[in-house]
Amino acid sequence: METAQTALPLEMIYHWETARAESIYMTQPVGGGKTVDYTWRRAVGEARRMASYLKSLNLPEKSRIGIVSKNCAHWIMADWAIWMAGHISVPLYPTLNADTVQYILEHSGCEALFVGKLDDWDGMKSGVPDAIHCISFPLSPKTDFPTWDDLVAKYPPLKENVQRDPDELATIVYTSGSTGRPKGVMLDFKSLAIAAEGGTSLLEVTANERMLSYLPLSHVFERYLVELGSMKRGFRVYFAESLDTFVEDLRRAEPTLFLAVPRIWTKFQHGVFEKMPQKKLDRLLRIPVLNRIIKKKVLTNLGLQHVKFAGSGSAPLSHDILEWYRNLGLELLEGYGMSENFAYSHTTRPGRARTGYVGEPLPGVDVKISEEGEVLVKSPATMMGYYRDEEKTRQTFTEDGYLRTGDKGELDELGRLKITGRIKEIFKTSKGKYIAPAPIENQLMSHPDVEMVCVSGANQTQPHALVMLSEEALSKSSDPEFREELEKSFTELMAQINQSVDPHEKLKFIAVVDGEWTMENDFLTPTLKLKRNVVEDAYADRVDDWYRAGEAIIWE
């Protein structure tokens, strides 16, 4: 894949500004069931006007400019405006606390900040230094900042098609910080361009696709496939209004491509089982005459009836759930990547999926397994390094230029990659045996009443599992009859798992926790990954008592 033949991000949007000038590019909900459509001409035009305003601020060359907002049309237009004005964009998760907001803005040296659609601006704004110049989006909480609409009405559009150098820093993406302070991943324009070209070409993405944008644009997964993918191919992007309107938003978009993290795929499945018990659904799907009708009805109710490819990433998905969706006729492709390579690493190829494997290398990606079993990746979209951290950058690469992923894995005969655990997550029992929690957690996630799992047990004789129930199961957990049934099914599942693993990996007990693990209580990262150390610390003072109790199922 030659860089010279690959259009850079700004070149992509200049192309669509004329080639599809009056085609609707983005559809933005604005409340009350109403939406605003942005054609390519309007979207690029507003970005040009905002770029004029940014240039009028006379900021130092290549200044860092932050974007803190939930996904919306203005998030993408602000990104373009920052690039057009010659600066570098710094996305911030819309769920961060004030301390982390302050850390990122100060570490990156942000000169300005776009403030957009947020649920808890009051809890964030104290982290924004007074010296930073702020601009508010139309959907932002009430502020005294200059507003997007006023500024684009006042400033003329940049007339020239500003170009940026392929090797120039485009964006600093701060990792979601499952442990410690987030690191600033530096990505150049070339990396963004190559990822967009490779991913959309492999899946034969066209300008006729539709996608719903709702996973954080501040994370590379959504930014690569939705923002850069749509910029590359010119397809239409819809935005979700809120969690409450998600199903309505999905039905409005009727996506042909759809992305979700494992927790969402699990919630969708649980939602289906709430309307129709799994055993009844399985029985109906075995009837040839009804099979096709039932499958279509299930996918239509989810708003996924037009989906050609659906993607899952960020964490492993249970094999049972993968097979369940594929049996419904949904081509559910798993992907694998990191912030450090703009998520451009591996994906399942249509028709070549192997359950338990995250797919094959994307075009231009080279992968090998180290002697220690670590997955090493060399991607054309690999970062320039960590911002202001040469030592961590040096530690992250091998001498021959491969990125150390921190994941353990193995390759099959077709080069498909299987992730077997995180090197840092592997723990040792008191017997000196090492355990990778991920494979055991995947088996536990197959239970329909399980929402999240954490397998732990460092320095104990055997591992144990902490289980968070699904919302529906949690609401019924005080019912003695339901609890008895659940306990029986968990006991059976644990026995089944213990038969399939090595002796030192057998679970001692399953502890069912009371309550939820959320971003708000700091158990999850903004990308819904479990903060394993936080979970383990929360129950540390009870674990020894649980081991002494000698019970198979423990209710916290």
Side-chain angles (χ1 to χ4, degrees):
M1 205 186 313
E2 293 295 326
T3 310
Q5 299 172 351
T6 303
L8 294 171
L10 288 178
E11 293 170 340
M12 297 173 190
I13 65 171
Y14 299 148
H15 168 74
W16 299 118
E17 184 183 23
T18 54
R20 291 175 67 85
E22 301 310 321
S23 296
I24 296 172
Y25 170 43
M26 296 184 288
T27 295
Q28 175 64 55
V30 291
K34 296 179 181 178
T35 59
V36 174
D37 290 331
Y38 290 82
T39 63
W40 276 101
R41 188 196 302 279
R42 178 179 175 183
V44 181
E46 290 202 14
R48 286 181 181 275
R49 290 172 181 275
M50 183 52 66
S52 279
Y53 172 67
L54 293 177
K55 288 180 79 70
S56 77
L57 298 175
N58 294 316
L59 301 174
E61 188 180 358
K62 297 180 183 177
S63 285
R64 276 74 58 211
I65 298 179
I67 306 172
V68 60
S69 174
K70 293 165 82 171
N71 296 14
C72 60
H74 295 84
W75 200 110
I76 290 177
M77 291 187 285
D79 206 17
W80 298 350
I82 292 166
W83 291 338
M84 286 179 187
H87 301 308
I88 297 153
S89 60
V90 181
L92 287 83
Y93 285 98
T95 51
L96 297 176
N97 58 36
D99 176 58
T100 309
V101 167
Q102 182 174 349
Y103 172 78
I104 291 173
L105 293 176
E106 291 181 349
H107 185 268
S108 62
C110 273
E111 300 280 351
L113 176 69
F114 286 97
V115 176
K117 189 179 175 187
L118 295 165
D119 293 332
D120 187 27
W121 172 239
D122 286 342
M124 305 173 85
K125 62 186 179 184
S126 63
V128 180
D130 293 338
I132 290 183
H133 181 81
C134 294
I135 303 150
S136 69
F137 289 166
L139 295 170
S140 77
K142 185 170 176 54
T143 69
D144 296 326
F145 308 144
T147 66
W148 178 284
D149 286 344
D150 286 350
L151 294 171
V152 298
K154 181 179 177 182
Y155 282 80
L158 273 188
K159 287 195 166 53
E160 68 270 30
N161 286 354
V162 175
Q163 305 294 344
R164 300 293 292 269
D165 188 83
D167 298 317
E168 200 177 336
L169 178 58
T171 189
I172 305 172
V173 177
Y174 279 81
T175 57
S176 54
S178 57
T179 55
R181 287 292 197 186
K183 301 184 290 290
V185 173
M186 297 190 292
L187 296 161
D188 59 27
F189 286 99
K190 174 177 81 269
S191 296
L192 308 189
I194 287 175
E197 170 67 38
T200 57
S201 296
L202 182 74
L203 297 177
E204 299 180 354
V205 172
T206 72
N208 298 320
E209 315 299 350
R210 299 181 298 276
M211 291 195 81
L212 179 69
S213 179
Y214 68 99
L215 296 174
L217 274 165
S218 38
H219 186 258
V220 291
F221 187 44
E222 182 88 351
R223 202 163 174 209
Y224 153 44
L225 291 163
V226 177
E227 183 190 15
L228 268 296
S230 65
M231 288 164 60
K232 179 65 184 178
R233 297 298 172 191
F235 60 74
R236 188 165 175 178
V237 175
Y238 293 76
F239 293 93
E241 183 173 353
S242 68
L243 196 58
D244 293 339
T245 64
F246 186 76
V247 173
E248 182 187 326
D249 296 327
L250 198 52
R251 288 175 179 157
R252 179 192 296 119
E254 295 187 330
T256 58
L257 306 171
F258 183 72
L259 300 177
V261 293
R263 195 176 183 201
I264 289 170
W265 289 117
T266 304
K267 275 184 173 291
F268 278 1
Q269 187 195 49
H270 289 172
V272 171
F273 292 159
E274 282 174 25
K275 293 180 179 177
M276 184 182 292
Q278 184 175 2
K279 288 180 181 177
K280 182 179 179 182
L281 180 61
D282 290 345
R283 190 170 66 248
L284 291 174
L285 288 173
R286 285 195 292 270
I287 302 171
V289 180
L290 290 176
N291 180 289
R292 187 174 295 179
I293 297 169
I294 297 293
K295 286 180 178 179
K296 186 176 181 183
K297 187 174 181 180
V298 170
L299 291 176
T300 300
N301 284 340
L302 291 172
L304 304 177
Q305 70 272 28
H306 298 295
V307 171
K308 298 191 299 187
F309 301 122
S312 181
S314 184
L317 189 59
S318 155
H319 304 169
D320 290 347
I321 291 177
L322 265 174
E323 288 303 307
W324 185 80
Y325 279 105
R326 286 172 182 161
N327 288 338
L328 283 178
L330 190 68
E331 180 83 73
L332 188 49
L333 308 178
E334 285 200 278
Y336 170 74
M338 305 169 64
S339 299
E340 286 82 353
N341 53 30
F342 200 53
Y344 189 79
S345 182
H346 287 70
T347 192
T348 309
R349 307 285 176 108
R352 286 164 62 165
R354 180 178 177 185
T355 302
Y357 287 71
V358 293
E360 301 166 56
L362 283 154
V365 172
D366 186 24
V367 61
K368 63 182 180 179
I369 308 296
S370 75
E371 289 182 9
E372 296 75 32
E374 183 177 11
V375 179
L376 305 176
V377 173
K378 193 179 279 188
S379 165
T382 297
M383 67 173 180
M384 303 163 74
Y386 293 119
Y387 190 63
R388 294 174 56 190
D389 201 333
E390 291 182 14
E391 179 58 22
K392 268 208 176 74
T393 300
R394 188 187 60 75
Q395 292 171 2
T396 303
F397 288 94
T398 63
E399 288 185 7
D400 52 353
Y402 282 80
L403 185 69
R404 300 181 192 273
T405 65
D407 289 311
K408 284 181 75 75
E410 54 193 51
L411 301 169
D412 73 1
E413 69 283 355
L414 295 180
R416 291 174 293 201
L417 175 64
K418 180 179 186 177
I419 302 298
T420 57
R422 288 286 294 168
I423 286 175
K424 290 180 182 176
E425 289 176 357
I426 291 171
F427 60 87
K428 189 162 64 170
T429 67
S430 60
K431 299 173 184 175
K433 298 283 190 179
Y434 287 95
I435 293 174
I440 304 171
E441 289 168 349
N442 282 345
Q443 292 189 66
L444 287 161
M445 283 295 293
S446 67
H447 194 288
D449 292 316
V450 171
E451 177 93 3
M452 303 196 83
V453 178
C454 179
V455 167
S456 189
N459 302 316
Q460 300 286 354
T461 53
Q462 296 290 140
H464 66 272
L466 297 167
V467 165
M468 187 189 101
L469 296 178
S470 68
E471 192 175 340
E472 190 205 4
L474 192 60
S475 68
K476 296 189 292 187
S477 60
S478 57
D479 177 354
E481 191 175 326
F482 176 77
R483 185 178 282 220
E484 187 179 334
E485 286 179 13
L486 198 57
E487 196 163 313
K488 183 183 174 186
S489 66
F490 279 162
T491 303
E492 290 172 354
L493 178 59
M494 189 166 77
Q496 183 183 320
I497 291 170
N498 285 348
Q499 285 179 353
S500 69
V501 298
D502 289 337
H504 69 279
E505 296 175 311
K506 291 181 188 292
L507 291 170
K508 183 74 173 174
F509 60 84
I510 292 174
V512 184
V513 305
D514 181 21
E516 292 188 271
W517 301 334
T518 66
M519 283 186 290
E520 288 71 28
N521 61 22
D522 203 38
F523 280 78
L524 303 182
T525 71
T527 53
L528 303 183
K529 287 181 184 172
L530 202 67
K531 292 186 177 180
R532 194 173 293 273
N533 59 323
V534 174
V535 173
E536 289 174 344
D537 288 349
Y539 305 98
D541 60 347
R542 279 159 278 182
V543 169
D544 286 341
D545 289 340
W546 290 344
Y547 274 94
R548 280 193 290 268
E551 296 173 13
I553 309 300
I554 291 168
W555 295 84
E556 188 207 356

